[in-house]
Amino acid sequence: ATAAASISSSSTNNDSGMFARGMLAFAPSALPQRGVTTSTLSKASSAFASVGGRRFGRIRSLATGGTSLRDRDTEQEEKEEVEWTTDKVRSTFVNYFTSSPRDHTMVPSSPSAPLTDPTLLFANAGMNQFKPIFLGQADPSGPLAKLSRAANSQKCIRAGGKHNDLDDVGRDTYHHTFFEMLGSWSFGDYFKKEAIDYAWELLTEVYGLDTSRLYATYFEGDDSLGLEADLEAKEFWMKYLPEERVIGCNAKDNFWEMGETGPCGPCSEIHYDRIGDRDATSLVNADDPDVIEIWNIVFIQYNRDESGLTTLPNQHIDTGMGLERLVSLLQDKSSNYDIDCFQPLFREIEKYSKVGPYTGLVLEDDTTLKDTAYRAIADHARTLSFAIADGAVPNNEGRGYVLRRILRRATRYGQQVLKCEPGFFANLIPVVVDTFSETYPELRQQQDTILEIIVEEEKAFATMLDRGIKFFTDLEEELKADGKKEVPGDKAFFLYDTLGFPIDLTEQMAEEAGLIVDVKAFENDLEAQKQRSRDARKAAKAGGAERFELIAEQTAWLANNGVDATDDSSKYEWDVETDATVKAVFGSDGFVTDGRAVTAGQSVGLVLDRSSFYAEAGGQEADLGTISVDGGSFTVTDVQVYGGFILHSGIVEEGEIKVGSSVKCQVDYDRRRNVAPNHSMTHVLNAALREILGDGVDQRGSLCNDEKLRFDFSHKKAMTAKQLKATEEYCKKIVAGSQDVTAEVMPLDDAKALDGVRAVFGEVYPDPVRVVSVGEDTSIEFCGGTHISNTAEAEAF
């Protein structure tokens, strides 16, 4: 089982009141224009002191850091005098888009740890939860299919994979591993004009930003992509800005892509000049810390595949604006870490630091790394609190290992740089909870779990940290005495394997000591091992056949060519042969049309009008079997559903198949009889774990196939032998009790109201939804899988 923290379903459905603080009645004409000037600072921040950080041209307020501890009355006064608090900026954004005439739907933030999306370590952008819409794969009966406009503030973590800011956090004033992304979306509704109009009105008339400091970019075109300049966006911007402040940029900066393939399109960025009263055109997209991008508006209008770019059937808007960066502008702070929501954390860290308070120095000015440590520790406290509240925990795999690295990075900074006592980090968690729980109540609900996990992790690393620091210090002295600059790979591996030091932590310590680490062999061997494992799993799953996928362009083609969604109502029947007609044949070069047939040896995907095959979903692997045609057969090696269309991937064994062919679906029911008990027993196991470990247990994922079941669940620590035995005995008792397993389809709201019903946190369910019950009160869960009819059929556990 993967240990994880659970979360109440109320936190994902708390639309009303989620942004209750600081609501505004909009009166745009009454709001002043804002700029980074002393006239707009609050009284508490009117005294300035230059404290270094010259590269950033920083001006610090004495009230926001580098001061002695203040009493609660002073802190409350300061908080009350901040006009644009973080809470108010967030709620203003959401309220603007959800109010008339914009009428966006407020969709709560998805978990920062997307436990149901294996392609993501963490949610790194607001659009992640809407990917099925962009890809044309949204379930027609699910809530995403009904959305036309949406807005929210998304909890994001960028600390692994393609989007990884971990190494930069603490070193400067604007990188974070955890941040909030303010986002608005249109799904086939409005497009460029409205998106630009909304952005301008919100920034200038609601937030009151100084219009003379705003710049906009547009895509200048790219001959290699065969794309012309986005003059349409340029023209819309020139309604608000002079032509010299509407800047054409290349594809690197102004053409957004989801990945190597998939939806993409030009984008338009809004930049703000912190200095003002100058022409900052040449500084846009030039990595100048005083001319910063604040909002990116993506016009999703193309799809990229192996053959190039094609126009999407529906055009979408996807916008994102970093909350912390916007707040820094509205609070006139040149550092994200000087805004109101970080100050309580800095004051708490100061209590445990033996080297003094935070003074805001960066880079070469921060010679002792003290202020770097303050920023990193404050950031990491937020990241770990939100991630654990959302169900992830530190461990040795995937996102859990990233979290363990983050925690160990923070504790190393605290103990080695700030001279804090071991165990200091857990004291920061209640501060994060107090600061953010009004908007994100899951933090308060999970506070005890977060603390318990942090305390245990911090304690486990404390002794290894001392040994590791001593080992590295001795190694540093030895290397420098020999005139060497490189930490050998075997020494780095000893730190990693024996002392629990992530390789990036060793690299960080080496950099601080003026050394480098030889990590090439370490990384190459590790990646080669991972790739072999991935290839083996993929080959085993596909049975050697190619696996196909339908995205937006293909599902739209099917709909436009009169192909209806597949009727798979017979998938719950047993030992039947379902008659069907081939409605589409999809191969590596696209759809096979013009009456052409595919023949023996070819790998393709078939879309039928009806199917009795179960498509992979809910942790249950797809049915396998055969699709027979007169004089031929097709071996089904994978079944997936995309936007209601069920795609049967496999190989033509003999004969030929084409659009219009009459076929029979012949599911391998012997295999399914081995899958079904494994799926039903995950429900029983779920009930057993709640009984033995308590209500804090929540399902976080599962795998059911013909060989085994795997069940991922939330718990704070490893189960004891006694608990494992009790869980097994509970499951055996249910099997021996011969309890009926039944299913009923009902409206989603009615299903949610059932007493004792369980759902997987973060999962999106269709409406109506299928409810599977074991016995009278053993288990009630939302589930679309295939099951046994009685627990006795499981025979043993």
Side-chain angles (χ1 to χ4, degrees), residues 346-364:
F346 284 165
R347 289 193 287 268
E348 189 68 18
I349 296 169
E350 186 181 337
K351 293 179 183 179
Y352 309 101
S353 169
K354 295 177 183 176
V355 296
Y358 178 68
T359 54
L361 300 179
V362 295
L363 300 174
E364 64 271 8

Side-chain angles (χ1 to χ4, degrees), residues 386-446:
F386 277 94
I388 294 173
D390 281 346
V393 293
N395 57 39
N396 285 327
E397 294 183 352
R399 66 170 63 93
Y401 186 60
V402 174
L403 295 180
R404 180 163 283 169
R405 287 165 50 204
I406 291 172
L407 178 58
R408 294 182 176 185
R409 189 174 190 263
T411 55
R412 202 278 300 189
Y413 266 130
Q415 291 180 224
Q416 187 177 14
V417 178
L418 300 186
K419 310 303 180 186
C420 300
E421 294 294 331
F424 80 96
F425 189 76
N427 296 309
L428 306 181
I429 305 307
V431 180
V432 177
V433 173
D434 289 343
T435 304
F436 294 98
S437 61
E438 194 160 338
T439 299
Y440 299 107
E442 60 268 26
L443 289 169
R444 182 77 64 192
Q445 294 159 3
Q446 300 301 321

Side-chain angles (χ1 to χ4, degrees), residues 632-786:
S633 66
F634 177 86
T635 298
V636 177
T637 57
D638 186 58
V639 187
Q640 302 288 330
V641 60
Y642 303 107
F645 299 101
I646 294 179
L647 187 68
H648 308 73
S649 294
I651 301 175
V652 181
E653 300 290 353
E654 56 181 335
E656 61 178 37
I657 298 175
K658 59 183 179 181
V659 174
S661 294
S662 296
V663 298
K664 286 185 181 293
C665 297
Q666 298 168 327
V667 173
D668 182 350
Y669 288 107
D670 288 338
R671 177 180 175 276
R672 187 195 280 187
R673 283 188 174 87
N674 289 330
V675 176
N678 282 334
H679 197 156
S680 297
M681 290 308 294
T682 62
H683 292 217
V684 176
L685 179 56
N686 194 355
L689 290 168
R690 294 200 311 275
E691 178 71 21
I692 306 304
L693 302 180
D695 288 336
V697 167
D698 263 326
Q699 182 176 348
R700 299 302 191 190
S702 64
L703 170 70
C704 307
N705 60 26
D706 56 325
E707 297 178 344
K708 64 185 178 184
L709 69 88
R710 192 202 74 229
F711 190 77
D712 308 328
F713 65 99
S714 62
H715 194 48
K716 303 164 191 174
K717 60 185 71 175
M719 294 173 67
T720 65
K722 184 178 180 180
Q723 289 170 333
L724 286 168
K725 182 66 173 175
T727 303
E728 186 174 301
E729 291 300 327
Y730 181 101
C731 294
K732 288 181 177 180
K733 179 181 176 181
I734 300 302
V735 172
S738 301
Q739 297 188 7
D740 288 335
V741 181
T742 59
E744 180 182 358
V745 177
M746 61 179 67
L748 184 58
D749 288 341
D750 292 349
K752 288 179 178 179
L754 291 174
D755 185 33
V757 71
R758 307 292 292 190
V760 179
F761 174 66
E763 188 72 78
V764 177
Y765 292 97
D767 189 6
V769 67
R770 188 166 178 260
V771 180
V772 173
S773 301
V774 178
E776 293 185 5
D777 57 7
T778 297
S779 169
I780 306 175
E781 294 191 27
F782 297 167
C783 182
T786 59

